[in-house]
Amino acid sequence: MVKHNTNVRVSLPAVCFVWQIAMIILFGVFIRYDEESDARKWIEHKRDHNITSDIENDFYFRYPSFQDVHVMIFVGFGYLMTFLKRYSFGGVGFNFLIASFGLQWALLMQGWFHSLDPNTGKIYIGVESLINADFCCAGSLIAYGALLGKVSPVQLLVVTLFGITLFAVEEFIILSLLHCRDAGGSMVIHAFGGYYGLAISWVLYRPNLHQSKRLDGSVYHSDLFAMIGTLFLWMFWPSFNSAITDHGDGQHRAAINTYIALASSVLTTVAISSMSQKRGKLDMVHIQNATLAGGVAMGTAAEFMITPYGSLIVGFCSGIISTFGYLFVSPFLEKYLKLQDTCGVHNLHALPGMLGGFVGAIVAAAATESVYSAEGLRNTFDFKGDFANRSVGTQGGFQAAGACVAIAFGLVGGAIVGEFEKCVILLPMNSRVERWENPAEE
């Protein structure tokens, strides 16, 4: 059997230097400050719009949400992956690496698709661009959860490069061409990221990985660190789902709905986890992950008039689906499909994300003028311009189509990226049996 090279002393620095230099060049060519962050343009913008106070700059509305989302990306996702006793360094450290690269590439990719000025050929960025870049990174970080301990940092950078690119394309199709609403990213972030990582993991499956099964377990302190990630994610998820919604009632409602759904998923997860154990003890894997499923599933419908009790139902159902996924679906996938999902992203992101996408479709199709008002419907679903005459039934159909697009992009794109990484033999593989990650073992 071929022994995979795990030495990244040359390849990792080379990739980091080359890609960072490429980012500097591309930023120099394309990226500029927008009118609310440029010194000269902000003065002109205030004069043209009769703005008398700097406090009306969008920075002061969006930055608190940006801070929360940023903490979720770098602390929440990173520490959530520390539950494995042997891969905690990689969980936090490589999360830091790929998010730092990913947000730079995301500013470019999303800019080319959404905010490229055809007159100047420039991309103008502000605080909302930073939020969207973090959202874009989230898809690749979710995919990393399925690959933790099985790939090298060089491979992770390749996964991120292609993941950000695929994300930008599927996001453009879903949000711009299909005109779907997905404020919290149930479809474009979670369903896509989950199935993207699962497809790569399936393609990169190596039979000898079962020999390192003993390294996959947790210990007391690793579970404790993972709970730090869980609590950060749980507390800030209302900001995640409401960060880029319209100011006013939509943002307010998105935070309320997410807050309620998260609370519901906690009780449901605890109940099922306790029932599944002989002596009623809780499984920390369930508590660390399935308790967050309500936030994932509420992403699409967060800004809709789903009602508070509807949010409780979504949290209740997502908690059931996620916990049962850890109990039954993950063992089935590993035994029969040879699909090793290290962090259970299928149960926390893919399934609840798919549920959230279809819940959003149902809630959109059921929207009525008596509940929203005519103006409320236009504002919530952005029925303006080319979409001014779209009905709520049609919107519901397109929302469902958007969920299917996200899943298809994740599965097909992940399979292609996985095959690419198998073919490029210069990419060092991470062998979990060789435990290259922990210097103490060398």
Side-chain angles (χ1 to χ4, degrees), residues 128 342 436:
E128 191 168 337
T342 307
W436 67 273

Side-chain angles (χ1 to χ4, degrees), residues 276-317:
S276 67
Q277 306 299 316
K278 289 183 178 180
R279 301 182 64 181
K281 292 186 177 181
L282 300 178
D283 188 324
M284 287 305 294
V285 171
H286 305 157
I287 306 305
Q288 290 158 1
N289 294 278
T291 53
L292 302 171
V296 175
M298 186 48 67
T300 299
E303 61 181 326
F304 300 165
M305 292 283 287
I306 192 172
T307 72
Y309 76 85
S311 300
L312 286 175
I313 294 173
V314 171
F316 179 77
C317 293

Side-chain angles (χ1 to χ4, degrees), residues 219-233:
V219 290
Y220 187 88
H221 69 268
S222 68
D223 274 334
L224 186 62
F225 275 117
M227 278 302 298
I228 295 174
T230 297
L231 292 174
F232 269 107
L233 290 170

Side-chain angles (χ1 to χ4, degrees), residues 45-223:
H45 180 75
K46 287 199 297 182
R47 183 172 57 248
D48 294 342
H49 293 81
N50 296 317
I51 296 174
T52 59
S53 173
D54 286 337
I55 201 69
E56 294 185 50
N57 191 297
D58 198 42
F59 173 85
Y60 298 100
F61 292 99
R62 299 292 188 191
Y63 191 72
S65 295
F66 165 70
Q67 285 182 305
D68 292 352
V69 172
H70 215 45
V71 169
M72 290 178 69
I73 295 299
F74 285 90
V75 179
F77 278 104
Y79 274 90
L80 187 63
M81 297 185 195
T82 62
F83 72 99
L84 294 178
K85 59 187 176 184
R86 291 304 309 272
Y87 302 105
S88 297
F89 292 162
V92 177
F94 295 157
N95 182 90
F96 193 13
L97 171 66
I98 62 180
S100 297
F101 164 66
L103 65 87
Q104 297 176 64
W105 184 229
L107 286 170
L108 287 162
M109 286 302 304
Q110 291 188 308
W112 285 326
F113 275 99
H114 295 289
S115 56
L116 183 67
D117 189 323
N119 298 318
T120 63
K122 305 299 182 186
I123 298 167
Y124 297 97
I125 64 170
V127 66
E128 191 168 337
S129 305
L130 307 186
I131 297 173
N132 282 318
D134 276 356
F135 281 170
C136 197
C137 289
S140 294
L141 297 179
I142 290 166
Y144 174 35
L147 305 171
L148 178 62
K150 292 180 285 189
V151 292
S152 74
V154 178
Q155 286 180 299
L156 287 175
L157 288 171
V158 173
V159 167
T160 305
L161 178 71
F162 287 108
I164 297 292
T165 306
L166 288 167
F167 180 96
V169 175
E170 60 107 16
E171 181 192 44
F172 178 75
I173 293 172
I174 294 171
L175 301 187
S176 298
L177 299 184
L178 299 182
H179 195 66
C180 297
R181 305 293 288 175
D182 192 24
S186 291
M187 300 182 290
V188 298
I189 298 174
H190 299 287
F192 164 76
Y195 285 111
Y196 177 62
L198 289 169
I200 296 174
S201 179
W202 181 71
V203 172
L204 294 181
Y205 173 80
R206 299 195 304 280
N208 66 321
L209 286 179
H210 74 276
Q211 298 175 27
S212 63
K213 195 69 177 176
R214 58 190 172 81
L215 304 178
D216 281 354
S218 63
V219 290
Y220 187 88
H221 69 268
S222 68
D223 274 334

Side-chain angles (χ1 to χ4, degrees), residues 336-352:
Y336 295 103
L337 298 184
K338 306 300 182 183
L339 199 164
Q340 295 174 320
D341 180 8
T342 307
C343 294
V345 300
H346 186 251
N347 312 312
L348 173 54
H349 298 282
L351 285 177

